[in-house]
Coordinates of all heavy atoms in Angstrom, one line a residue:
S273 N -185.3 123.3 220.9 CA -184.9 122.7 219.7 C -186.1 121.9 219.2 O -186.9 121.3 219.9 CB -183.7 121.8 219.9 OG -183.6 120.9 218.8
S274 N -186.3 121.8 217.9 CA -187.4 121.0 217.3 C -187.0 119.6 217.1 O -187.8 118.7 216.7 CB -187.9 121.6 216.0 OG -186.8 121.6 215.1
D275 N -185.7 119.2 217.3 CA -185.3 117.9 217.1 C -185.8 116.9 218.2 O -185.6 117.2 219.4 CB -183.7 117.8 217.1 CG -183.2 116.5 216.5 OD1 -183.6 115.5 217.0 OD2 -182.4 116.5 215.6
L276 N -186.5 115.9 217.8 CA -187.1 115.0 218.8 C -186.1 114.2 219.6 O -186.4 113.6 220.6 CB -188.1 114.0 218.1 CG -189.2 114.7 217.4 CD1 -190.1 113.6 216.6 CD2 -190.1 115.4 218.4
D277 N -184.8 114.1 219.1 CA -183.8 113.3 219.8 C -182.9 114.1 220.7 O -182.1 113.5 221.4 CB -183.0 112.5 218.8 CG -183.8 111.5 218.0 OD1 -184.7 111.0 218.5 OD2 -183.4 111.3 216.8
S278 N -183.1 115.4 220.7 CA -182.2 116.2 221.6 C -182.8 116.0 223.1 O -183.8 115.3 223.3 CB -182.3 117.7 221.3 OG -183.6 118.2 221.4
N279 N -182.1 116.6 224.0 CA -182.5 116.4 225.4 C -182.4 115.0 225.9 O -183.3 114.6 226.7 CB -183.8 117.1 225.7 CG -184.0 117.5 227.1 OD1 -183.0 117.8 227.8 ND2 -185.2 117.5 227.6
F280 N -181.5 114.2 225.4 CA -181.3 112.8 225.7 C -182.5 111.9 225.4 O -182.7 110.9 226.1 CB -180.9 112.7 227.2 CG -179.8 113.6 227.6 CD1 -180.1 114.7 228.5 CD2 -178.6 113.5 227.1 CE1 -179.1 115.6 228.8 CE2 -177.6 114.4 227.4 CZ -177.8 115.4 228.3
Q281 N -183.3 112.2 224.4 CA -184.5 111.4 224.0 C -184.1 110.5 222.9 O -183.0 110.6 222.3 CB -185.6 112.3 223.6 CG -186.1 113.3 224.7 CD -186.6 112.5 225.9 OE1 -187.4 111.7 225.8 NE2 -186.0 112.9 227.1
G282 N -185.0 109.6 222.5 CA -184.8 108.7 221.4 C -183.9 107.5 221.8 O -183.7 107.1 223.0
D283 N -183.3 106.8 220.8 CA -182.4 105.7 221.0 C -181.2 106.1 221.8 O -180.7 107.2 221.7 CB -182.0 105.0 219.7 CG -183.2 104.4 218.9 OD1 -184.1 104.0 219.6 OD2 -183.1 104.4 217.7
H284 N -180.6 105.1 222.5 CA -179.4 105.4 223.3 C -178.3 104.5 222.8 O -178.5 103.3 222.5 CB -179.6 105.0 224.8 CG -180.6 106.0 225.5 ND1 -181.9 105.9 225.3 CD2 -180.4 107.0 226.3 CE1 -182.5 106.8 226.0 NE2 -181.6 107.6 226.6
L285 N -177.1 105.1 222.7 CA -175.9 104.3 222.3 C -174.9 104.4 223.5 O -174.5 105.5 223.9 CB -175.2 105.0 221.1 CG -173.8 104.4 220.7 CD1 -173.9 102.9 220.4 CD2 -173.3 105.2 219.6
W286 N -174.7 103.3 224.2 CA -173.8 103.2 225.3 C -172.4 103.0 224.8 O -172.2 102.1 224.0 CB -174.2 102.1 226.3 CG -175.6 102.4 226.8 CD1 -176.7 101.7 226.4 CD2 -176.0 103.3 227.8 NE1 -177.8 102.2 227.1 CE2 -177.4 103.2 227.9 CE3 -175.3 104.3 228.5 CZ2 -178.1 103.9 228.8 CZ3 -176.1 105.1 229.4 CH2 -177.5 104.9 229.5
L287 N -171.4 103.7 225.3 CA -170.0 103.6 224.8 C -169.1 103.6 226.1 O -169.2 104.5 226.9 CB -169.7 104.8 223.9 CG -168.3 104.7 223.2 CD1 -168.4 103.6 222.2 CD2 -168.0 106.0 222.5
T288 N -168.4 102.6 226.2 CA -167.5 102.4 227.3 C -166.2 103.3 227.1 O -165.8 103.4 226.0 CB -167.0 101.0 227.5 OG1 -168.2 100.2 227.7 CG2 -166.1 100.7 228.7
W289 N -165.7 103.8 228.2 CA -164.5 104.7 228.2 C -163.4 103.9 227.4 O -163.2 102.7 227.6 CB -164.1 105.0 229.6 CG -162.9 105.9 229.6 CD1 -162.7 107.1 229.1 CD2 -161.7 105.6 230.3 NE1 -161.5 107.6 229.3 CE2 -160.8 106.7 230.1 CE3 -161.2 104.6 231.1 CZ2 -159.5 106.8 230.7 CZ3 -159.9 104.6 231.6 CH2 -159.1 105.7 231.4
Q290 N -162.7 104.6 226.6 CA -161.6 104.1 225.7 C -162.0 103.2 224.6 O -161.2 102.5 224.0 CB -160.5 103.4 226.6 CG -159.8 104.3 227.6 CD -158.7 103.7 228.3 OE1 -158.7 102.5 228.6 NE2 -157.7 104.4 228.6
W291 N -163.3 103.3 224.2 CA -163.8 102.6 223.1 C -164.0 103.6 221.9 O -164.2 104.8 222.1 CB -165.1 101.9 223.4 CG -165.0 100.6 224.1 CD1 -164.1 100.2 225.0 CD2 -166.0 99.6 224.0 NE1 -164.3 99.0 225.4 CE2 -165.5 98.5 224.8 CE3 -167.1 99.4 223.3 CZ2 -166.2 97.3 225.0 CZ3 -167.8 98.2 223.4 CH2 -167.3 97.2 224.3
E292 N -164.0 103.1 220.7 CA -164.3 103.9 219.6 C -165.3 103.2 218.7 O -165.4 101.9 218.7 CB -163.0 104.3 218.8 CG -162.4 103.2 218.1 CD -161.1 103.7 217.3 OE1 -160.3 104.3 217.9 OE2 -161.1 103.3 216.1
R293 N -166.0 103.9 217.9 CA -166.9 103.4 216.9 C -166.5 104.1 215.6 O -166.9 105.3 215.4 CB -168.4 103.7 217.3 CG -168.8 103.1 218.5 CD -168.9 101.6 218.3 NE -169.5 100.9 219.5 CZ -169.4 99.7 219.8 NH1 -168.7 98.9 218.9 NH2 -169.9 99.2 220.8
P294 N -165.6 103.5 214.8 CA -165.1 104.2 213.6 C -166.0 104.3 212.5 O -165.8 105.1 211.6 CB -163.9 103.3 213.2 CG -164.3 101.9 213.8 CD -165.1 102.2 215.0
D295 N -167.2 103.6 212.5 CA -168.1 103.7 211.3 C -169.5 103.6 211.8 O -170.0 102.4 212.0 CB -167.8 102.7 210.3 CG -168.6 102.9 209.0 OD1 -169.5 103.7 209.0 OD2 -168.2 102.2 208.0
L296 N -170.2 104.7 212.1 CA -171.6 104.6 212.7 C -172.6 104.1 211.6 O -173.7 103.7 212.0 CB -172.0 106.0 213.2 CG -171.2 106.4 214.4 CD1 -171.6 107.8 214.9 CD2 -171.3 105.4 215.6
T297 N -172.2 104.0 210.3 CA -173.1 103.5 209.3 C -173.3 102.0 209.5 O -174.2 101.4 209.1 CB -172.7 103.7 207.9 OG1 -171.5 103.0 207.6 CG2 -172.5 105.2 207.6
K298 N -172.3 101.3 210.2 CA -172.4 99.9 210.4 C -172.9 99.5 211.8 O -172.8 98.3 212.2 CB -171.0 99.3 210.2 CG -170.5 99.5 208.8 CD -169.1 98.9 208.6 CE -168.7 99.1 207.1 NZ -167.4 98.6 206.8
L299 N -173.3 100.5 212.6 CA -173.7 100.2 214.0 C -175.2 100.4 214.0 O -175.8 101.5 213.9 CB -173.0 101.2 215.0 CG -173.3 101.0 216.4 CD1 -172.8 99.6 216.8 CD2 -172.6 102.0 217.2
G300 N -176.0 99.3 214.2 CA -177.4 99.3 214.2 C -178.1 99.9 215.4 O -177.5 99.9 216.5
R301 N -179.3 100.5 215.2 CA -180.1 101.0 216.3 C -181.5 100.8 215.9 O -181.9 100.5 214.8 CB -179.8 102.5 216.5 CG -180.3 103.4 215.4 CD -180.1 104.9 215.7 NE -180.5 105.7 214.6 CZ -181.8 106.2 214.5 NH1 -182.7 105.9 215.4 NH2 -182.1 106.9 213.5
G302 N -182.4 101.0 216.9 CA -183.8 100.9 216.7 C -184.4 99.5 216.8 O -183.7 98.6 217.2
D303 N -185.6 99.3 216.4 CA -186.3 98.1 216.4 C -185.7 97.1 215.4 O -185.3 97.5 214.3 CB -187.8 98.2 216.2 CG -188.4 99.1 217.2 OD1 -188.1 99.0 218.4 OD2 -189.3 99.9 216.9
W304 N -185.7 95.8 215.7 CA -185.2 94.8 214.8 C -185.9 94.8 213.4 O -185.2 94.7 212.4 CB -185.4 93.4 215.4 CG -184.8 92.3 214.6 CD1 -185.5 91.4 213.8 CD2 -183.4 92.0 214.4 NE1 -184.6 90.6 213.2 CE2 -183.3 91.0 213.5 CE3 -182.2 92.6 214.9 CZ2 -182.1 90.4 213.1 CZ3 -181.0 92.0 214.5 CH2 -181.0 91.0 213.6
W305 N -187.2 95.0 213.4 CA -187.9 95.0 212.1 C -187.8 96.3 211.4 O -188.2 96.4 210.3 CB -189.4 94.7 212.4 CG -190.0 95.6 213.4 CD1 -190.7 96.8 213.1 CD2 -190.1 95.4 214.8 NE1 -191.1 97.3 214.3 CE2 -190.8 96.5 215.3 CE3 -189.7 94.4 215.7 CZ2 -191.0 96.6 216.7 CZ3 -189.9 94.5 217.0 CH2 -190.6 95.6 217.5
D306 N -187.3 97.4 212.0 CA -187.1 98.7 211.4 C -185.7 99.2 211.7 O -185.5 100.3 212.2 CB -188.2 99.7 211.9 CG -188.2 101.0 211.1 OD1 -187.7 101.0 209.9 OD2 -188.6 102.0 211.7
R307 N -184.7 98.4 211.4 CA -183.3 98.6 211.7 C -182.8 99.8 211.0 O -182.9 100.0 209.8 CB -182.5 97.4 211.4 CG -181.2 97.3 212.2 CD -181.6 97.1 213.7 NE -180.4 96.7 214.4 CZ -180.3 96.8 215.7 NH1 -181.3 97.3 216.4 NH2 -179.2 96.4 216.3
K308 N -182.2 100.7 211.7 CA -181.5 101.9 211.2 C -180.0 101.8 211.7 O -179.7 100.9 212.4 CB -182.2 103.2 211.7 CG -183.6 103.3 211.2 CD -184.3 104.5 211.8 CE -185.7 104.7 211.3 NZ -186.6 103.8 211.8
N309 N -179.2 102.8 211.3 CA -177.9 102.9 211.9 C -177.7 104.2 212.6 O -178.6 105.1 212.6 CB -176.8 102.7 210.8 CG -176.8 103.8 209.7 OD1 -176.7 105.0 210.0 ND2 -177.0 103.4 208.5
W310 N -176.5 104.4 213.2 CA -176.3 105.6 214.0 C -175.6 106.8 213.3 O -175.4 107.8 213.8 CB -175.3 105.2 215.2 CG -176.1 104.6 216.3 CD1 -176.2 103.3 216.6 CD2 -176.8 105.3 217.3 NE1 -177.0 103.0 217.7 CE2 -177.4 104.3 218.1 CE3 -177.1 106.6 217.6 CZ2 -178.2 104.6 219.2 CZ3 -177.9 106.9 218.7 CH2 -178.4 105.9 219.5
N311 N -175.4 106.6 212.0 CA -174.8 107.7 211.2 C -175.7 108.9 211.1 O -176.9 108.8 210.8 CB -174.5 107.2 209.8 CG -173.7 108.2 209.0 OD1 -172.6 108.6 209.4 ND2 -174.2 108.6 207.9
D312 N -175.1 110.1 211.4 CA -175.8 111.4 211.3 C -177.1 111.4 212.0 O -178.1 111.9 211.5 CB -176.0 111.7 209.8 CG -174.7 111.9 209.1 OD1 -173.7 112.2 209.7 OD2 -174.7 111.9 207.8
C313 N -177.1 110.9 213.3 CA -178.4 111.0 214.0 C -178.2 111.3 215.5 O -179.2 111.2 216.2 CB -179.2 109.7 213.8 SG -178.5 108.3 214.5
I314 N -177.0 111.6 215.9 CA -176.8 111.9 217.4 C -177.1 113.4 217.6 O -176.6 114.3 216.9 CB -175.3 111.5 217.7 CG1 -175.1 110.0 217.6 CG2 -175.0 112.0 219.2 CD1 -173.7 109.6 217.8
S315 N -178.0 113.6 218.6 CA -178.4 114.9 218.9 C -178.0 115.4 220.3 O -178.1 116.6 220.6 CB -179.9 115.0 218.8 OG -180.3 114.7 217.5
S316 N -177.7 114.5 221.2 CA -177.2 114.9 222.5 C -176.3 113.8 223.0 O -176.3 112.7 222.6 CB -178.4 115.0 223.5 OG -179.2 113.8 223.6
V317 N -175.4 114.2 223.9 CA -174.4 113.3 224.5 C -174.2 113.5 226.0 O -174.5 114.6 226.5 CB -173.0 113.4 223.8 CG1 -173.1 113.1 222.3 CG2 -172.5 114.8 223.9
S318 N -173.8 112.4 226.7 CA -173.6 112.5 228.1 C -172.4 111.6 228.5 O -172.7 110.5 229.1 CB -174.9 112.1 228.8 OG -174.8 112.3 230.2
P319 N -171.2 112.1 228.4 CA -170.1 111.3 228.9 C -170.1 111.3 230.4 O -170.6 112.2 231.0 CB -168.8 112.0 228.3 CG -169.3 113.4 227.9 CD -170.8 113.3 227.7
V320 N -169.5 110.3 231.0 CA -169.4 110.2 232.5 C -168.5 111.4 233.0 O -167.4 111.6 232.4 CB -168.7 108.9 232.9 CG1 -168.5 108.9 234.4 CG2 -169.6 107.7 232.4
P321 N -169.0 112.2 233.9 CA -168.2 113.3 234.4 C -166.8 112.9 234.9 O -166.7 111.9 235.6 CB -169.1 113.8 235.6 CG -170.5 113.4 235.3 CD -170.3 112.0 234.6
N322 N -165.8 113.7 234.6 CA -164.5 113.5 235.0 C -163.8 112.2 234.6 O -162.9 111.7 235.2 CB -164.4 113.6 236.5 CG -164.9 115.0 237.0 OD1 -164.6 116.0 236.5 ND2 -165.7 114.9 238.0
V323 N -164.4 111.6 233.5 CA -163.8 110.4 232.9 C -163.6 110.6 231.4 O -164.4 110.2 230.6 CB -164.7 109.1 233.2 CG1 -164.1 107.9 232.6 CG2 -165.0 108.9 234.6
G324 N -162.5 111.3 231.1 CA -162.2 111.5 229.7 C -163.2 112.4 229.0 O -163.9 113.2 229.7
F325 N -163.2 112.3 227.7 CA -164.1 113.1 226.9 C -164.5 112.4 225.6 O -163.8 111.5 225.2 CB -163.6 114.5 226.6 CG -162.2 114.5 226.0 CD1 -162.1 114.5 224.6 CD2 -161.1 114.4 226.8 CE1 -160.8 114.5 224.0 CE2 -159.8 114.4 226.2 CZ -159.7 114.4 224.8
L326 N -165.6 112.7 225.1 CA -166.1 112.1 223.9 C -165.7 113.0 222.7 O -165.8 114.2 222.8 CB -167.7 112.0 224.0 CG -168.4 111.3 222.9 CD1 -168.1 109.8 222.9 CD2 -169.9 111.5 223.1
V327 N -165.3 112.4 221.6 CA -164.9 113.1 220.4 C -165.9 112.6 219.3 O -165.8 111.4 218.9 CB -163.5 112.9 220.0 CG1 -163.1 113.6 218.7 CG2 -162.5 113.3 221.1
L328 N -166.6 113.5 218.8 CA -167.5 113.2 217.6 C -166.8 113.7 216.4 O -166.2 114.7 216.3 CB -168.8 114.1 217.7 CG -169.6 113.9 219.0 CD1 -170.8 114.8 219.0 CD2 -170.2 112.4 219.0
C329 N -166.8 112.8 215.3 CA -166.1 113.1 214.1 C -167.1 113.1 212.9 O -168.0 112.3 212.9 CB -165.0 112.1 213.8 SG -163.7 112.1 215.1
E330 N -166.9 114.0 212.0 CA -167.8 114.2 210.9 C -167.8 113.1 209.9 O -168.8 112.7 209.3 CB -167.5 115.5 210.2 CG -168.5 115.9 209.1 CD -168.2 117.3 208.6 OE1 -167.0 117.7 208.4 OE2 -169.1 118.0 208.4
D331 N -166.7 112.4 209.7 CA -166.5 111.4 208.7 C -166.2 110.0 209.4 O -165.8 110.0 210.6 CB -165.4 111.7 207.8 CG -165.6 113.0 207.0 OD1 -166.8 113.3 206.7 OD2 -164.6 113.7 206.6
I332 N -166.3 108.9 208.7 CA -166.0 107.6 209.3 C -164.5 107.6 209.5 O -163.7 108.4 209.0 CB -166.5 106.5 208.4 CG1 -165.8 106.5 207.0 CG2 -168.0 106.5 208.2 CD1 -166.1 105.2 206.2
N333 N -164.1 106.6 210.3 CA -162.7 106.4 210.7 C -162.1 107.6 211.4 O -160.9 107.9 211.2 CB -161.8 106.0 209.5 CG -162.3 104.6 208.9 OD1 -162.6 103.7 209.7 ND2 -162.4 104.5 207.6
L334 N -162.9 108.3 212.2 CA -162.5 109.4 213.0 C -161.9 110.6 212.1 O -161.0 111.3 212.5 CB -161.5 109.0 214.1 CG -161.9 107.8 215.0 CD1 -160.9 107.5 216.0 CD2 -163.2 108.2 215.7
G335 N -162.4 110.7 210.9 CA -161.9 111.8 210.0 C -162.8 113.0 210.0 O -163.9 113.1 210.6
G336 N -162.3 114.0 209.3 CA -163.1 115.2 209.1 C -163.0 116.1 210.3 O -162.2 115.9 211.2
A337 N -164.0 117.1 210.4 CA -164.1 118.0 211.5 C -164.5 117.2 212.7 O -165.1 116.1 212.6 CB -165.1 119.0 211.2
S338 N -164.1 117.7 213.9 CA -164.4 116.9 215.2 C -164.8 117.9 216.2 O -164.5 119.1 216.2 CB -163.2 116.1 215.6 OG -162.1 117.0 216.0
L339 N -165.5 117.4 217.2 CA -165.9 118.1 218.4 C -165.6 117.3 219.6 O -166.1 116.2 219.7 CB -167.4 118.4 218.3 CG -168.0 119.1 219.6 CD1 -167.6 120.5 219.7 CD2 -169.6 119.0 219.5
S340 N -164.8 117.9 220.6 CA -164.5 117.2 221.8 C -165.5 117.7 222.9 O -165.7 118.9 223.1 CB -163.1 117.6 222.3 OG -162.2 117.1 221.3
V341 N -166.1 116.7 223.6 CA -167.2 117.0 224.5 C -166.8 116.4 225.9 O -166.8 115.2 226.1 CB -168.5 116.4 224.1 CG1 -169.6 116.8 225.0 CG2 -168.9 116.8 222.7
P342 N -166.4 117.2 226.9 CA -166.0 116.7 228.2 C -167.2 116.6 229.2 O -167.1 116.0 230.3 CB -165.1 117.7 228.7 CG -165.5 119.0 228.1 CD -166.1 118.6 226.7
F343 N -168.4 117.0 228.8 CA -169.6 117.0 229.7 C -170.8 116.9 228.9 O -170.8 116.9 227.7 CB -169.6 118.3 230.5 CG -169.4 119.5 229.7 CD1 -170.5 120.1 229.0 CD2 -168.2 120.2 229.7 CE1 -170.3 121.2 228.2 CE2 -168.0 121.3 228.9 CZ -169.1 121.8 228.2
A344 N -171.9 116.6 229.6 CA -173.2 116.4 228.9 C -173.7 117.6 228.1 O -173.5 118.8 228.6 CB -174.3 116.1 230.0
V345 N -174.2 117.4 226.9 CA -174.7 118.4 226.1 C -176.1 117.9 225.7 O -176.3 116.9 225.0 CB -173.9 118.7 224.8 CG1 -174.5 119.7 223.9 CG2 -172.4 119.1 225.2
R346 N -177.1 118.7 226.1 CA -178.5 118.3 225.8 C -178.9 118.5 224.4 O -179.8 117.8 223.9 CB -179.5 119.1 226.7 CG -179.4 118.8 228.1 CD -180.4 119.6 228.9 NE -180.4 119.2 230.3 CZ -181.1 118.1 230.8 NH1 -181.8 117.4 230.0 NH2 -181.0 117.8 232.0
D347 N -178.3 119.4 223.7 CA -178.7 119.7 222.3 C -177.4 120.1 221.5 O -176.9 121.2 221.8 CB -179.7 120.8 222.3 CG -180.2 121.1 220.9 OD1 -179.8 120.5 219.9 OD2 -181.1 122.0 220.7
L348 N -177.0 119.3 220.6 CA -175.8 119.6 219.8 C -176.0 120.6 218.7 O -175.1 121.1 218.1 CB -175.2 118.3 219.3 CG -174.6 117.3 220.3 CD1 -174.4 115.9 219.6 CD2 -173.3 117.8 220.9
G349 N -177.3 120.9 218.5 CA -177.6 121.9 217.4 C -176.9 123.2 217.5 O -176.3 123.7 216.5
P350 N -177.0 123.9 218.7 CA -176.3 125.2 218.8 C -174.8 125.1 218.5 O -174.2 126.1 218.2 CB -176.6 125.6 220.2 CG -177.9 125.0 220.5 CD -177.8 123.6 219.8
L351 N -174.2 124.0 218.7 CA -172.8 123.8 218.4 C -172.5 123.4 217.0 O -171.4 123.2 216.6 CB -172.2 122.7 219.4 CG -172.3 123.0 220.9 CD1 -171.8 121.8 221.7 CD2 -171.6 124.2 221.3
G352 N -173.6 123.3 216.2 CA -173.4 122.9 214.8 C -173.2 121.4 214.6 O -172.7 121.0 213.5
W353 N -173.6 120.6 215.6 CA -173.3 119.1 215.5 C -174.5 118.2 215.6 O -174.4 117.0 215.8 CB -172.2 118.8 216.6 CG -170.9 119.0 216.1 CD1 -170.2 120.2 216.1 CD2 -170.0 118.1 215.4 NE1 -169.0 120.1 215.5 CE2 -168.9 118.8 215.0 CE3 -170.2 116.8 215.0 CZ2 -167.8 118.2 214.3 CZ3 -169.2 116.2 214.3 CH2 -168.0 116.9 214.0
N354 N -175.7 118.8 215.5 CA -176.9 117.9 215.5 C -176.9 117.0 214.2 O -176.7 117.5 213.1 CB -178.2 118.7 215.5 CG -179.4 117.9 215.6 OD1 -179.4 117.0 216.5 ND2 -180.3 118.0 214.7
D355 N -177.0 115.7 214.4 CA -177.1 114.7 213.3 C -176.0 114.9 212.4 O -176.1 114.8 211.1 CB -178.5 114.9 212.6 CG -179.7 114.6 213.5 OD1 -179.5 114.0 214.5 OD2 -180.8 115.0 213.1
R356 N -174.8 115.0 212.9 CA -173.6 115.2 212.0 C -172.5 114.2 212.2 O -171.7 114.0 211.3 CB -173.0 116.6 212.4 CG -171.9 117.1 211.5 CD -171.5 118.5 211.8 NE -170.3 118.9 211.2 CZ -169.7 120.0 211.4 NH1 -170.2 120.9 212.2 NH2 -168.5 120.3 210.8
A357 N -172.4 113.4 213.3 CA -171.3 112.5 213.6 C -171.5 111.2 212.8 O -172.5 110.6 212.7 CB -171.3 112.2 215.0
S358 N -170.3 110.8 212.2 CA -170.2 109.5 211.5 C -169.3 108.5 212.1 O -169.2 107.4 211.8 CB -169.8 109.7 210.0 OG -170.8 110.5 209.3
S359 N -168.6 109.0 213.2 CA -167.7 108.1 214.0 C -167.5 108.9 215.3 O -167.7 110.1 215.4 CB -166.4 107.8 213.3 OG -165.6 109.0 213.0
L360 N -167.0 108.1 216.3 CA -166.7 108.7 217.6 C -165.8 107.9 218.4 O -165.6 106.7 218.1 CB -168.0 109.0 218.4 CG -169.0 107.9 218.6 CD1 -168.7 107.0 219.8 CD2 -170.4 108.4 218.8
V361 N -165.2 108.5 219.4 CA -164.3 107.8 220.3 C -164.4 108.4 221.7 O -164.7 109.6 221.8 CB -162.8 107.9 219.8 CG1 -162.3 109.3 219.7 CG2 -161.9 107.0 220.7
Y362 N -164.3 107.6 222.7 CA -164.4 108.1 224.1 C -163.1 107.9 224.7 O -162.7 106.8 225.1 CB -165.5 107.3 224.8 CG -165.9 107.8 226.2 CD1 -165.5 109.0 226.7 CD2 -166.7 107.0 227.0 CE1 -165.9 109.4 227.9 CE2 -167.1 107.4 228.2 CZ -166.7 108.6 228.7 OH -167.1 109.1 229.9
W363 N -162.2 108.9 224.8 CA -160.9 108.9 225.3 C -160.8 108.9 226.8 O -161.5 109.7 227.4 CB -160.0 110.0 224.8 CG -159.8 110.0 223.3 CD1 -160.4 110.9 222.4 CD2 -159.0 109.1 222.5 NE1 -160.0 110.6 221.2 CE2 -159.1 109.5 221.2 CE3 -158.2 108.0 222.8 CZ2 -158.5 108.9 220.1 CZ3 -157.6 107.4 221.8 CH2 -157.7 107.8 220.5

């Protein structure tokens, strides 16, 4: 993949089991002086094995199309989900 953030590279967003982030546009990432948000920029995921699954949603408030991920995925591109999530929940 040509995406620099795939393969677990780039900024990291830690999410505790049973937490949700309903609006990734309001969740900051990056350096304080060059603050960005998490909307449409997730390229790989790594939920804890055998502890629920991560659900990526296309729209804020867990809306739109979704992808359930029970295990680590190094590159969401082949699944059609690179830089697509606007909200997520870890069930």
Side-chain angles (χ1 to χ4, degrees):
S273 170
S274 62
D275 193 309
L276 297 176
D277 296 330
S278 64
N279 204 31
F280 312 113
Q281 301 298 308
D283 292 332
H284 292 79
L285 171 62
W286 300 103
L287 189 68
T288 303
W289 182 57
Q290 296 185 325
W291 278 31
E292 69 178 52
R293 296 292 184 197
D295 187 351
L296 294 177
T297 68
K298 295 181 179 176
L299 187 61
R301 70 175 179 89
D303 298 322
W304 181 256
W305 55 88
D306 186 26
R307 204 67 166 159
K308 298 176 177 69
N309 64 54
W310 279 98
N311 187 56
D312 294 340
C313 69
I314 295 174
S315 300
S316 57
V317 294
S318 184
V320 176
N322 303 313
V323 180
F325 53 94
L326 187 66
V327 180
L328 302 173
C329 298
E330 188 173 39
D331 299 331
I332 63 170
N333 296 319
L334 307 178
S338 65
L339 175 69
S340 297
V341 184
F343 48 78
V345 176
R346 292 183 174 277
D347 185 357
L348 291 167
L351 301 175
W353 276 85
N354 185 54
D355 296 345
R356 186 171 166 188
S358 294
S359 60
L360 53 86
V361 62
Y362 189 11
W363 297 109

